[in-house]
Amino acid sequence: PLSELRHMPGSGSDGTEDSDSSAEREQTNSSESDGNVPKRQRLTRASTRLSQSSQDLKRAADHDESPPLTPTGNAPSSESELDISSPNASHDESQAKDQANRDSDKDLSHRPKRRRCHETYNFNMKCPTPGCNSLGHLTGKHERHFAVSGCPLYHNLSADECKVKAISREKQEEEVKGQEESNSRHATRHQTPTSKQSRYKEQVAEMRKGRNSSLQKEQKEKHMEHRQTHGNTREPLLENITSEYDLELFRKAQARASEDLEKLRIQGQITEGSNMIKTILFGRYELDTWYHSPYPEEYARLGRLYVCEFCLKYMKSQTILRRHMAKCVWKHPPGDEVYRKGSISVFEVDGKKNKIYCQNLCLLAKLFLDHKTLYYDVEPFLFYVMTEADNTGCHLVGYFSKEKNSFLNYNVSCILTMPQYMRQGFGKMLIDFSYLLSKVEEKVGSPERPLSDLGLISYRSYWKEVLLRYMYNFQGKEISIKEISQETAVNPVDIVSTLQSLQMLKYWKGKHLVLKRQDLIDEWKAKEIKRGNSNKTIDPTSLKWTPPKGT
């Protein structure tokens, strides 16, 4: 009867097997071991029920083309899962059902672990700062941290102090944002600072005047004691070194950088401690990297890379680098030397002819650039590599890449000065050289956007210097932005933005007027005289170059 067929083996309401069905299985097993019982007698009530259910499934399959489901709720992977009318159906199916129940229990017990996998991984990680419990974050927005960049203890702060600073920073950002929205409508009309901006500038000047010019003896002793106690495991004490205003600006920059690294780590673009090169050995310098570069995984996971400074080949160990340097015949970049003055040279390298060198150069540059996306497709570009020569060879100073055929007349696609040559004037030399090529081509050039933070600073400084030099030498009465652009090869958009930042562009009676601010010009001229005849300038007469023909 149907009432007897409702109880399947292993399907009791309390999660245990029925005693009758288990007894029947034992009887079946014993009969199988004897080998004397006919196969016909091995069919139990459970096998009868399963055979009926198989017939129902087949009838349902006739009406519905979708495959029937197994006891776990998934479609069968083979026809053998549907074959349940074998002579040993009782024993085989009871084992199959028990195994299926165990598999389903495993699946159900494993699903929450999958959800907590990322969380468990994070809690297993630990901040490398000695004595830190990984609680708190420099931004004040996260409960835990796993890197030195977000460690409050490393920055000589507590988690509560970071939260208080975060709240105050948010309030200041809201106030600044509100002021910008109110002033955005009249930004084109009011080129002069508003009264609020003038008052804020005066407040900043007063705060900066209040800083101590030198540390007192007790403060010096405190700083030295802190340094001797903690060494490189803690950030040096920064109090009383500069004004409170500048120190707060530095803290904001640290928090912002830490937040950016936290976002990259959550997105999986970088993982702290693995797949990110920390340092590279480049010539006689050991350089700390700033960003992630897509080197092959077997090299990236080492954390330290050894790079030949001439051919830019990357290696795993110093022994391999030593052997390579003994055999490497390169002493300068491949390509044509198009500029030489003193010890400074510039080589033009074609990405199509020297593909491996240009790819290695792009991978090296990505370690110090945030917005760079070009690594392997280097054939449409020309690379202008600046070097400084000595008795051992031509050492890489920096480079910029340029499209062979730029639709928007970009004269620079990517530009980099190596960290050991920064703040020495080489960045402006690279920019000046790119505009010199645009002048020879009789074109107006502009760098490709977006610019990196350091690149934007360098370009703004260069444009300011070019405009002030033009104003100093200009003897006429009316200045035309078009004439400035044709003479300097700077894009008119960049000229206008620079004039606005210098407050030398005024809207008056329906016209934009360029004001010649003599104070800024005199200040620039004084710096030029103080700088003297520096070698960090590009001499147009030393250029030996003809524009390449379009391909």
PDB file of all heavy atoms in Angstrom, residues 299-313:
ATOM      1  N   TYR A 299      58.259  36.904 -11.562  1.00  0.00           N
ATOM      2  CA  TYR A 299      59.164  37.984 -11.173  1.00  0.00           C
ATOM      3  C   TYR A 299      58.501  38.908 -10.152  1.00  0.00           C
ATOM      4  O   TYR A 299      59.157  39.395  -9.231  1.00  0.00           O
ATOM      5  CB  TYR A 299      59.580  38.798 -12.403  1.00  0.00           C
ATOM      6  CG  TYR A 299      60.456  38.046 -13.369  1.00  0.00           C
ATOM      7  CD1 TYR A 299      59.900  37.303 -14.393  1.00  0.00           C
ATOM      8  CD2 TYR A 299      61.841  38.073 -13.264  1.00  0.00           C
ATOM      9  CE1 TYR A 299      60.696  36.600 -15.296  1.00  0.00           C
ATOM     10  CE2 TYR A 299      62.652  37.383 -14.149  1.00  0.00           C
ATOM     11  CZ  TYR A 299      62.070  36.641 -15.168  1.00  0.00           C
ATOM     12  OH  TYR A 299      62.861  35.957 -16.047  1.00  0.00           O
ATOM     13  N   ALA A 300      57.202  39.160 -10.326  1.00  0.00           N
ATOM     14  CA  ALA A 300      56.516  40.119  -9.459  1.00  0.00           C
ATOM     15  C   ALA A 300      56.421  39.627  -8.030  1.00  0.00           C
ATOM     16  O   ALA A 300      56.469  40.421  -7.087  1.00  0.00           O
ATOM     17  CB  ALA A 300      55.119  40.406 -10.009  1.00  0.00           C
ATOM     18  N   ARG A 301      56.285  38.317  -7.841  1.00  0.00           N
ATOM     19  CA  ARG A 301      56.107  37.814  -6.471  1.00  0.00           C
ATOM     20  C   ARG A 301      57.397  37.803  -5.670  1.00  0.00           C
ATOM     21  O   ARG A 301      57.382  37.517  -4.473  1.00  0.00           O
ATOM     22  CB  ARG A 301      55.504  36.417  -6.517  1.00  0.00           C
ATOM     23  CG  ARG A 301      56.416  35.371  -7.117  1.00  0.00           C
ATOM     24  CD  ARG A 301      55.720  34.033  -7.227  1.00  0.00           C
ATOM     25  NE  ARG A 301      56.556  33.028  -7.860  1.00  0.00           N
ATOM     26  CZ  ARG A 301      56.076  32.003  -8.556  1.00  0.00           C
ATOM     27  NH1 ARG A 301      54.774  31.877  -8.722  1.00  0.00           N
ATOM     28  NH2 ARG A 301      56.888  31.123  -9.096  1.00  0.00           N
ATOM     29  N   LEU A 302      58.535  38.086  -6.323  1.00  0.00           N
ATOM     30  CA  LEU A 302      59.808  38.115  -5.602  1.00  0.00           C
ATOM     31  C   LEU A 302      59.905  39.318  -4.683  1.00  0.00           C
ATOM     32  O   LEU A 302      60.562  39.268  -3.645  1.00  0.00           O
ATOM     33  CB  LEU A 302      60.975  38.125  -6.593  1.00  0.00           C
ATOM     34  CG  LEU A 302      61.106  36.885  -7.488  1.00  0.00           C
ATOM     35  CD1 LEU A 302      62.225  37.084  -8.488  1.00  0.00           C
ATOM     36  CD2 LEU A 302      61.340  35.639  -6.654  1.00  0.00           C
ATOM     37  N   GLY A 303      59.265  40.426  -5.077  1.00  0.00           N
ATOM     38  CA  GLY A 303      59.315  41.638  -4.273  1.00  0.00           C
ATOM     39  C   GLY A 303      60.500  42.525  -4.572  1.00  0.00           C
ATOM     40  O   GLY A 303      60.482  43.722  -4.283  1.00  0.00           O
ATOM     41  N   ARG A 304      61.566  41.964  -5.146  1.00  0.00           N
ATOM     42  CA  ARG A 304      62.770  42.729  -5.478  1.00  0.00           C
ATOM     43  C   ARG A 304      63.230  42.287  -6.860  1.00  0.00           C
ATOM     44  O   ARG A 304      63.378  41.097  -7.119  1.00  0.00           O
ATOM     45  CB  ARG A 304      63.867  42.497  -4.435  1.00  0.00           C
ATOM     46  CG  ARG A 304      65.149  43.309  -4.670  1.00  0.00           C
ATOM     47  CD  ARG A 304      66.211  42.865  -3.678  1.00  0.00           C
ATOM     48  NE  ARG A 304      67.474  43.541  -3.890  1.00  0.00           N
ATOM     49  CZ  ARG A 304      67.900  44.580  -3.196  1.00  0.00           C
ATOM     50  NH1 ARG A 304      67.147  45.070  -2.232  1.00  0.00           N
ATOM     51  NH2 ARG A 304      69.072  45.141  -3.447  1.00  0.00           N
ATOM     52  N   LEU A 305      63.457  43.256  -7.720  1.00  0.00           N
ATOM     53  CA  LEU A 305      63.802  42.968  -9.107  1.00  0.00           C
ATOM     54  C   LEU A 305      65.155  43.589  -9.427  1.00  0.00           C
ATOM     55  O   LEU A 305      65.506  44.660  -8.901  1.00  0.00           O
ATOM     56  CB  LEU A 305      62.727  43.538 -10.044  1.00  0.00           C
ATOM     57  CG  LEU A 305      62.501  42.819 -11.370  1.00  0.00           C
ATOM     58  CD1 LEU A 305      62.107  41.371 -11.135  1.00  0.00           C
ATOM     59  CD2 LEU A 305      61.411  43.526 -12.171  1.00  0.00           C
ATOM     60  N   TYR A 306      65.903  42.924 -10.294  1.00  0.00           N
ATOM     61  CA  TYR A 306      67.225  43.389 -10.722  1.00  0.00           C
ATOM     62  C   TYR A 306      67.152  43.708 -12.212  1.00  0.00           C
ATOM     63  O   TYR A 306      66.829  42.829 -13.019  1.00  0.00           O
ATOM     64  CB  TYR A 306      68.282  42.319 -10.447  1.00  0.00           C
ATOM     65  CG  TYR A 306      68.386  41.951  -8.984  1.00  0.00           C
ATOM     66  CD1 TYR A 306      67.545  41.003  -8.417  1.00  0.00           C
ATOM     67  CD2 TYR A 306      69.324  42.574  -8.164  1.00  0.00           C
ATOM     68  CE1 TYR A 306      67.634  40.675  -7.081  1.00  0.00           C
ATOM     69  CE2 TYR A 306      69.425  42.249  -6.819  1.00  0.00           C
ATOM     70  CZ  TYR A 306      68.577  41.307  -6.284  1.00  0.00           C
ATOM     71  OH  TYR A 306      68.667  40.988  -4.949  1.00  0.00           O
ATOM     72  N   VAL A 307      67.429  44.970 -12.558  1.00  0.00           N
ATOM     73  CA  VAL A 307      67.229  45.448 -13.923  1.00  0.00           C
ATOM     74  C   VAL A 307      68.555  45.971 -14.459  1.00  0.00           C
ATOM     75  O   VAL A 307      69.260  46.739 -13.780  1.00  0.00           O
ATOM     76  CB  VAL A 307      66.159  46.561 -13.972  1.00  0.00           C
ATOM     77  CG1 VAL A 307      65.913  47.008 -15.408  1.00  0.00           C
ATOM     78  CG2 VAL A 307      64.855  46.074 -13.347  1.00  0.00           C
ATOM     79  N   CYS A 308      68.886  45.565 -15.685  1.00  0.00           N
ATOM     80  CA  CYS A 308      70.066  46.102 -16.365  1.00  0.00           C
ATOM     81  C   CYS A 308      69.763  47.538 -16.786  1.00  0.00           C
ATOM     82  O   CYS A 308      68.752  47.792 -17.439  1.00  0.00           O
ATOM     83  CB  CYS A 308      70.411  45.242 -17.579  1.00  0.00           C
ATOM     84  SG  CYS A 308      71.750  45.904 -18.594  1.00  0.00           S
ATOM     85  N   GLU A 309      70.601  48.476 -16.436  1.00  0.00           N
ATOM     86  CA  GLU A 309      70.304  49.882 -16.689  1.00  0.00           C
ATOM     87  C   GLU A 309      70.524  50.284 -18.146  1.00  0.00           C
ATOM     88  O   GLU A 309      70.160  51.405 -18.527  1.00  0.00           O
ATOM     89  CB  GLU A 309      71.169  50.774 -15.797  1.00  0.00           C
ATOM     90  CG  GLU A 309      72.657  50.636 -16.020  1.00  0.00           C
ATOM     91  CD  GLU A 309      73.452  51.622 -15.185  1.00  0.00           C
ATOM     92  OE1 GLU A 309      72.919  52.705 -14.898  1.00  0.00           O
ATOM     93  OE2 GLU A 309      74.603  51.300 -14.832  1.00  0.00           O
ATOM     94  N   PHE A 310      71.074  49.399 -18.970  1.00  0.00           N
ATOM     95  CA  PHE A 310      71.321  49.738 -20.370  1.00  0.00           C
ATOM     96  C   PHE A 310      70.303  49.075 -21.308  1.00  0.00           C
ATOM     97  O   PHE A 310      69.665  49.750 -22.117  1.00  0.00           O
ATOM     98  CB  PHE A 310      72.745  49.342 -20.770  1.00  0.00           C
ATOM     99  CG  PHE A 310      73.805  50.072 -19.996  1.00  0.00           C
ATOM    100  CD1 PHE A 310      74.675  49.398 -19.158  1.00  0.00           C
ATOM    101  CD2 PHE A 310      73.935  51.447 -20.095  1.00  0.00           C
ATOM    102  CE1 PHE A 310      75.643  50.071 -18.440  1.00  0.00           C
ATOM    103  CE2 PHE A 310      74.893  52.141 -19.372  1.00  0.00           C
ATOM    104  CZ  PHE A 310      75.756  51.441 -18.552  1.00  0.00           C
ATOM    105  N   CYS A 311      70.121  47.755 -21.187  1.00  0.00           N
ATOM    106  CA  CYS A 311      69.150  47.075 -22.052  1.00  0.00           C
ATOM    107  C   CYS A 311      67.793  46.876 -21.377  1.00  0.00           C
ATOM    108  O   CYS A 311      66.844  46.418 -22.020  1.00  0.00           O
ATOM    109  CB  CYS A 311      69.694  45.731 -22.515  1.00  0.00           C
ATOM    110  SG  CYS A 311      69.846  44.471 -21.222  1.00  0.00           S
ATOM    111  N   LEU A 312      67.682  47.175 -20.072  1.00  0.00           N
ATOM    112  CA  LEU A 312      66.444  47.136 -19.282  1.00  0.00           C
ATOM    113  C   LEU A 312      65.887  45.724 -19.113  1.00  0.00           C
ATOM    114  O   LEU A 312      64.707  45.551 -18.815  1.00  0.00           O
ATOM    115  CB  LEU A 312      65.365  48.046 -19.905  1.00  0.00           C
ATOM    116  CG  LEU A 312      65.753  49.503 -20.115  1.00  0.00           C
ATOM    117  CD1 LEU A 312      64.569  50.295 -20.628  1.00  0.00           C
ATOM    118  CD2 LEU A 312      66.293  50.118 -18.843  1.00  0.00           C
ATOM    119  N   LYS A 313      66.723  44.703 -19.314  1.00  0.00           N
ATOM    120  CA  LYS A 313      66.275  43.342 -19.062  1.00  0.00           C
ATOM    121  C   LYS A 313      66.150  43.130 -17.557  1.00  0.00           C
ATOM    122  O   LYS A 313      66.995  43.580 -16.789  1.00  0.00           O
ATOM    123  CB  LYS A 313      67.275  42.355 -19.654  1.00  0.00           C
ATOM    124  CG  LYS A 313      66.874  40.890 -19.490  1.00  0.00           C
ATOM    125  CD  LYS A 313      67.916  39.972 -20.104  1.00  0.00           C
ATOM    126  CE  LYS A 313      67.515  38.512 -19.909  1.00  0.00           C
ATOM    127  NZ  LYS A 313      68.528  37.588 -20.475  1.00  0.00           N
TER     128      LYS A 313
END
